[in-house]
Amino acid sequence: MTGTYLIFVKPKILKKKFPTSFQEKHYRSTFCKNKICTLIFSARSFSARVTLLERYDALAFKGISCFFYDKPSAMRDGAEPTHRRATARLQFIYCKEQIIHLIGRRHICAPPCNHLRGRSITMIYSLEPYAEDRPLGTSHAHGLQSNTLLDDPFDVVIIGSGAAGAVAADTFVRAGLRTLLLEEGARLKTSAKNADVDAQAEHALAGNSEQGWNPRGWPWSTRNLGGGTVFYGGASFRYTDFDFDPSERIRVEGLPVKWPIDASDLAPFYSEIESILSIDHAGFECRRRQAPNTLSLPAEHLWEGALRLGLSPRPTPVAIDRSRCDHCSLCITAQCTRGAKRDVVNSLLGPLADMPNLLLLTGVKAVALTQEKCNRASAVRCMDTATGQIRSIRGHRFVLACNAIQTAALLLRSITPYAPRGLGNEHDIVGRGLCMKLSEYSQGVVHAERQRIDDHPIGYRGPFSTVCALDHYLDERCPTGVGGLIYEAKHDDWSLLQGDGLVLRVETVLADHPSLGNRIRLSSNTDSWGLPRLMIDYTTNPQDLARLAYMVERSADWLKASGARNIQHEASNFAMGSTHLHGTCRAGDDPRTSVVDRDGKLHSLDNVYVVDGSYMPYPGGVNPTLTIQANALRIARQIARDATGHTSAS
């Protein structure tokens, strides 16, 4: 039975922090066609309610996707995971503003109900699910179910379907390897927005020595097929020579920052990925004074302002097929329905979805890797996120592409008789060296007639960024001599900003210093799935704060030179989480200070590889996605050659 349910609970009851024997006042909505809601929410014992939820999940709660609590501070840590584990598809919304937003977008199904009239009533209700029921292709299935294809070992098991995992899958499948691609999230409906999916993001315990611990850390991109690329802005920069070896200016005790590869090693793979994703690297490298026709109206002002300052503006390289783009959005708020934005679902996974040697499983979480020999992983233990079913899947090779948070967590959870501290963690390096970059927004207003805005072929619309400047990337006036990137970063709700002027908004981005103390750890508390909850230790280096302040000044200079007034700054809350994640399984030659070698293989295992941003010994000062993808392609090609015995596997 599918249905939408409304349940109302008095706030004063919520304030009791979910004791094991509290009385709940319950109400049944007009959508409740049976007595299951009454049974569950009449249970006097918390454990009894959980039992009932588990028992009736498949019937009564199939359509439920969200709980809302008016007072999140009243929730005990154990309450959310228990409910979410029992019902599998529950999400949490924490503020009334989100409710109002969602009601306005008609995502809430709320029948007339007299119980809404009471002031003390708080809603706990459902949203439309964002999961697409239709498979991507014949090779795609959701959940473990009774899939007989899982009985035989796979040539390669890839964990994570985002930027790196999709590139690896494409390489292995085309090399003829029997490939399993696991994704914890689901394939999204095209109507799903970034804000909708963000509400489902897993929260970690994030904090530092100054701020304490905050349970609302959001330290990774959304869990869905295609990962963060589905909602990213497409910015695709190559790393500079300095990013591969910053040791002349950046020194970190206990953590070498030099990569075991350099820019020349990635050059052919950069070119290949740029071709697949329609990235105009040649246009980016071209030095010219005349503004290209790909600029938005704000970017045209910024281009002229950069020239006045003596800077060298460049068009932001983006993974967007310009021939298909109609500038309908900023790319970061919604999915692209035209196939213009080259996210990995459109560009890589879609064409693979009918290949017979691929099995793509969504809704399956990798819990841990297991071992039968000291130097090899034998299987991955998985959980069906809808049913809680656990199954081990065997493989000859395992490729981790979960992102720098989840990959480290997976290795730390993989405790075996041969690895009592987790796989690859013999020297306590797994999870250390976490980098999330630093950033800050600056904006001002220039005079512009509304008619001119409306008549411009792009106006304020997307892509998210169309002009950038790297003149301060290495700047001797900046503390340590290492600056960063500044680029156009239009506000996602652009329509609200078009008044009597035109808003110019830029973001500065810079690398943060790696540190042994900035790390991922496992908590003694459990998360939604009964697994150790993640803890994010992150304290910003004072030098990095000084560098950020310098770059914010340069951002203001650029805005002023572009004619902007009323300049304001907006700090990004990077310490609580970021989608630019690096360094927790760092690459290097010394097993004492690194987790993987130059080809992404764990030093201590022969068949486990890391291909995502956790590989990076130094985070670099630009958006990392293109570099992650190029490096994933390089490593995957090497794995494919070793597996097939061919000198070329392309």
Side-chain angles (χ1 to χ4, degrees):
M1 177 181 297
T2 62
T4 304
Y5 299 86
L6 297 177
I7 303 164
F8 306 94
V9 182
K10 289 186 176 182
K12 67 180 183 180
I13 294 177
L14 295 179
K15 292 180 180 180
K16 295 183 179 180
K17 300 183 178 182
F18 290 97
T20 57
S21 62
F22 75 75
Q23 302 284 331
E24 287 183 322
K25 185 171 182 178
H26 65 274
Y27 302 92
R28 282 176 53 198
S29 80
T30 55
F31 280 127
C32 189
K33 306 297 184 183
N34 53 45
K35 297 182 180 180
I36 292 175
C37 269
T38 303
L39 286 171
I40 293 173
F41 288 91
S42 296
R44 301 172 74 90
S45 162
F46 190 84
S47 59
R49 291 198 314 277
V50 172
T51 301
L52 287 166
L53 284 169
E54 291 173 339
R55 182 176 177 183
Y56 293 107
D57 176 41
L59 295 175
F61 284 82
K62 188 175 179 180
I64 286 189
S65 59
C66 181
F67 275 18
F68 167 68
Y69 294 92
D70 190 33
K71 298 185 181 296
S73 61
M75 296 176 57
R76 192 175 64 179
D77 286 344
E80 176 180 330
T82 305
H83 279 82
R84 293 182 71 180
R85 185 167 65 251
T87 61
R89 295 179 65 183
L90 299 183
Q91 319 167 23
F92 286 73
I93 305 288
Y94 290 98
C95 65
K96 291 180 178 179
E97 287 73 21
Q98 288 179 277
I99 301 299
I100 295 170
H101 174 69
L102 291 165
I103 291 174
R105 295 172 59 183
R106 300 180 180 180
H107 281 190
I108 294 177
C109 194
C113 182
N114 292 331
H115 303 304
L116 287 172
R117 298 174 183 174
R119 293 184 180 179
S120 64
I121 301 299
T122 297
M123 290 191 297
I124 304 179
Y125 56 84
S126 68
L127 303 179
E128 286 182 7
Y130 303 118
E132 174 61 69
D133 294 331
R134 296 174 301 167
L136 188 63
T138 56
S139 298
H140 174 207
H142 190 77
L144 291 173
Q145 305 172 6
S146 58
N147 202 318
T148 58
L149 296 174
L150 301 175
D151 295 338
D152 297 326
F154 288 85
D155 293 324
V156 188
V157 177
I158 307 168
I159 303 169
S161 70
V167 169
D170 181 76
T171 303
F172 299 141
V173 171
R174 298 188 185 283
L177 298 174
R178 185 168 178 262
T179 304
L180 172 65
L181 178 58
L182 298 177
E183 168 56 52
E184 179 179 337
R187 181 191 180 195
L188 295 176
K189 291 181 177 180
T190 56
S191 59
K193 303 296 192 293
N194 195 1
D196 301 331
V197 182
D198 278 354
Q200 304 179 53
E202 184 177 354
H203 290 175
L205 296 170
N208 56 49
S209 58
E210 299 172 354
Q211 299 176 357
W213 292 100
N214 188 317
R216 298 291 310 281
W218 181 72
W220 48 82
S221 60
T222 55
R223 295 176 290 179
N224 53 262
L225 186 66
T229 70
V230 174
F231 295 113
Y232 81 145
S236 301
F237 296 89
R238 292 189 182 192
Y239 275 23
T240 68
D241 290 337
F242 172 81
D243 293 318
F244 290 98
D245 184 10
S247 56
E248 183 177 335
R249 299 173 185 245
I250 303 294
R251 300 184 185 275
V252 179
E253 184 178 354
L255 290 178
V257 294
K258 184 179 184 299
W259 290 45
I261 61 173
D262 56 33
S264 63
D265 292 313
L266 282 191
F269 304 103
Y270 272 133
S271 297
E272 193 166 342
I273 294 294
E274 287 165 347
S275 177
I276 295 171
L277 302 184
S278 302
I279 299 166
D280 183 13
H281 182 70
F284 168 76
E285 288 292 342
C286 179
R287 299 293 191 273
R288 55 187 169 188
R289 294 186 61 84
Q290 185 176 356
N293 59 10
T294 56
L295 299 186
S296 67
L297 182 56
E300 290 179 356
H301 288 267
L302 290 169
W303 187 281
E304 294 300 321
L307 294 177
R308 295 188 191 104
L309 284 178
L311 306 179
S312 300
R314 312 181 190 196
T316 304
V318 289
I320 293 175
D321 184 347
R322 299 284 187 177
S323 66
R324 299 183 181 184
C325 181
D326 63 354
H327 311 288
C328 61
S329 74
L330 295 187
C331 304
I332 59 173
T333 55
Q335 298 177 73
C336 182
T337 58
R338 300 174 60 89
K341 185 170 69 175
R342 305 298 288 159
D343 62 68
V344 296
V345 178
N346 283 327
S347 59
L348 294 172
L349 297 179
L352 292 180
D354 292 313
M355 300 289 280
N357 59 324
L358 171 69
L359 177 59
L360 167 60
L361 291 183
T362 52
V364 177
K365 182 179 181 66
V367 175
L369 298 175
T370 60
Q371 288 182 283
E372 294 175 355
K373 298 180 179 179
C374 65
N375 63 338
R376 295 182 66 84
S378 56
V380 57
R381 190 154 50 89
C382 301
M383 175 189 294
D384 188 310
T385 60
T387 66
Q389 176 190 355
I390 299 289
R391 178 167 184 170
S392 288
I393 304 174
R394 301 181 67 83
H396 298 299
R397 300 161 191 84
F398 298 88
V399 175
L400 311 188
C402 319
N403 76 34
I405 299 288
Q406 296 286 28
T407 289
L410 176 59
L411 291 175
L412 292 173
R413 289 196 302 265
S414 301
I415 295 174
T416 76
Y418 307 102
R421 305 173 72 177
L423 291 183
N425 199 32
E426 294 81 4
H427 301 283
D428 190 27
I429 295 296
V430 172
R432 293 187 180 273
L434 170 67
C435 291
M436 297 190 285
K437 289 202 171 70
L438 284 76
S439 67
E440 189 157 321
Y441 298 97
S442 303
Q443 67 179 43
V445 180
V446 299
H447 176 74
E449 300 292 337
R450 182 58 186 258
Q451 190 63 45
R452 185 190 175 194
I453 299 174
D454 294 339
D455 291 344
H456 193 275
I458 300 176
Y460 202 91
R461 299 183 303 276
F464 172 71
S465 179
T466 57
V467 66
C468 64
L470 287 106
D471 300 80
H472 303 290
Y473 205 71
L474 296 178
D475 187 334
E476 297 300 333
R477 297 172 298 171
C478 185
T480 75
V482 182
L485 163 74
I486 309 176
Y487 65 172
E488 177 193 23
K490 293 192 288 292
H491 196 285
D492 55 359
D493 202 356
W494 61 271
S495 61
L496 300 179
L497 302 175
Q498 293 187 10
D500 58 353
L502 181 70
V503 174
L504 307 187
R505 187 171 185 254
V506 298
E507 181 182 13
T508 184
V509 179
L510 60 154
D512 45 349
H513 276 69
S515 168
L516 279 168
N518 289 347
R519 63 185 298 196
I520 308 302
R521 293 188 287 149
L522 301 182
S523 170
S524 58
N525 297 327
T526 56
D527 65 9
S528 314
W529 314 113
L531 302 174
R533 198 170 181 186
L534 302 189
M535 301 174 69
I536 313 295
D537 292 294
Y538 189 91
T539 300
T540 309
N541 187 306
Q543 284 185 310
D544 291 342
L545 292 176
R547 294 167 55 224
L548 180 62
Y550 176 83
M551 291 302 300
V552 170
E553 291 177 2
R554 303 291 74 76
S555 298
D557 292 343
W558 192 4
L559 291 171
K560 292 174 184 176
S562 304
R565 63 184 188 278
N566 300 328
I567 295 174
Q568 301 176 356
H569 305 288
E570 173 194 350
S572 65
N573 197 14
F574 54 85
M576 295 305 300
S578 167
T579 56
H580 293 177
L581 301 169
H582 328 74
T584 56
C585 300
R586 54 200 308 105
D589 299 323
D590 188 348
R592 297 170 299 177
T593 57
S594 61
V595 178
V596 302
D597 64 15
R598 60 172 282 127
D599 292 327
K601 185 180 71 66
L602 265 65
H603 289 301
S604 54
L605 284 92
D606 295 336
N607 66 336
V608 178
Y609 302 83
V610 171
V611 298
D612 56 29
S614 54
Y615 174 102
M616 297 178 167
Y618 180 72
V622 294
N623 304 56
T625 305
L626 180 65
T627 299
I628 290 171
Q629 291 178 300
N631 195 44
L633 179 60
R634 180 187 67 85
I635 295 172
R637 287 276 173 79
Q638 182 62 53
I639 297 171
R641 285 193 292 268
D642 294 342
T644 61
H646 298 160
T647 57
S648 177
S650 60

